[in-house]
Amino acid sequence: LVNDDPIPLSLEQLLDRPFDVCAGDATPTGGGAWHGNEYWSEELPKVLQDPRTPIHVKEFWTLIVSSKFWGSTWTGRCVVQYCDNTSVCDTVIHRKPRDPTLMSLLREYLHVVVTKKFFPVIRKIGTKENALADHISRRYDKDAAAKIFEEHGLHDMVMVKPKAQFFNLSAKW
C-alpha cells in the first residue's frame, strides 16, 4: 500500500496502467466514485449526512461502497484506489487508527477486500487531480457528469446505483 505520490499524475497517466483504477470522493451530503466506464453519484444515507459525522468517515464509506460494488470484478487483480483524504489513506496503509469508528470501517474494508479477493493499493491524490470524483460527489446530474467525463476523454460513462445495504457494516466490528 502506498501513501503519497511524490509525482502527481495526469488523468491520462492514471488510466495508462496494467491494473484497475478507482477514484472516489465524498462531501458533507454526497459521495461518488468512478471505475472503468461506470460511476456512482448520489446522496449519502441520512445518517451519514449528519453534520457531526466527520468527512473522513464519509470518505471511507465511499471507498467501502465502491469496493463492495466493483469488488467482484476486481477478483485476482491489483486495484489502485485513489482517495484525497489523508486520514483514510493513513488508516488503510498503516492499519493503526486511534479512532474506534475508523477501526470499524477498516475492518469492514479489509473484510470486503478478502471476500472479493482483490489486491488494493491506496494512493493519496490531490483535490485538483481528483476533479472527476469531486464533481460526481457534489452533483448527481447525469448530463453534467457526462459532460465532465467527456471533457477528460472518458466517453460513454454509465451511471450505476450501489445497493442501499452497501452502506451498512456486514458485522459489528
Side-chain angles (χ1 to χ4, degrees):
L1 299 175
V2 179
N3 194 2
D4 288 323
D5 191 352
I7 303 169
L9 301 176
S10 69
L11 179 61
E12 183 177 303
Q13 292 169 314
L14 294 176
L15 295 173
D16 184 30
R17 298 286 177 255
F19 38 76
D20 285 321
V21 171
C22 179
D25 200 13
T27 66
T29 59
W34 62 273
H35 160 69
N37 70 333
E38 296 180 329
Y39 72 97
W40 67 271
S41 171
E42 64 185 56
E43 285 188 342
L44 296 171
K46 294 294 181 200
V47 67
L48 288 176
Q49 290 185 37
D50 186 327
R52 294 170 292 186
T53 303
I55 192 66
H56 61 266
V57 170
K58 299 171 188 195
E59 294 269 3
F60 214 143
W61 270 112
T62 299
L63 184 71
I64 291 167
V65 168
S66 298
S67 298
K68 287 179 177 183
F69 189 82
W70 289 303
S72 59
T73 68
W74 297 341
T75 299
R77 298 193 44 90
C78 178
V79 181
V80 179
Q81 293 180 290
Y82 289 95
C83 177
D84 64 6
N85 187 280
T86 301
S87 295
V88 173
C89 292
D90 287 349
T91 296
V92 175
I93 291 164
H94 301 295
R95 298 190 180 115
K96 295 181 182 177
R98 294 184 182 144
D99 178 352
T101 302
L102 283 179
M103 180 55 80
S104 177
L105 294 174
L106 175 62
R107 288 179 177 137
E108 181 72 14
Y109 175 71
L110 294 175
H111 173 75
V112 173
V113 168
V114 170
T115 303
K116 303 295 185 179
K117 301 177 184 175
F118 67 91
F119 305 95
V121 176
I122 302 299
R123 299 293 297 262
K124 175 79 168 73
I125 189 171
T127 302
K128 180 182 174 187
E129 293 78 21
N130 204 27
L132 296 175
D134 180 72
H135 178 85
I136 61 176
S137 71
R138 295 177 189 283
R139 297 186 64 187
Y140 322 115
D141 179 326
K142 286 176 88 169
D143 294 332
K147 182 179 178 190
I148 194 167
F149 281 124
E150 288 178 11
E151 287 172 359
H152 287 86
L154 299 173
H155 305 282
D156 302 319
M157 294 294 284
V158 177
M159 185 178 197
V160 294
K161 181 156 180 60
K163 296 176 183 175
Q165 65 259 33
F166 285 175
F167 287 95
N168 298 324
L169 294 175
S170 57
K172 291 185 180 186
W173 306 112

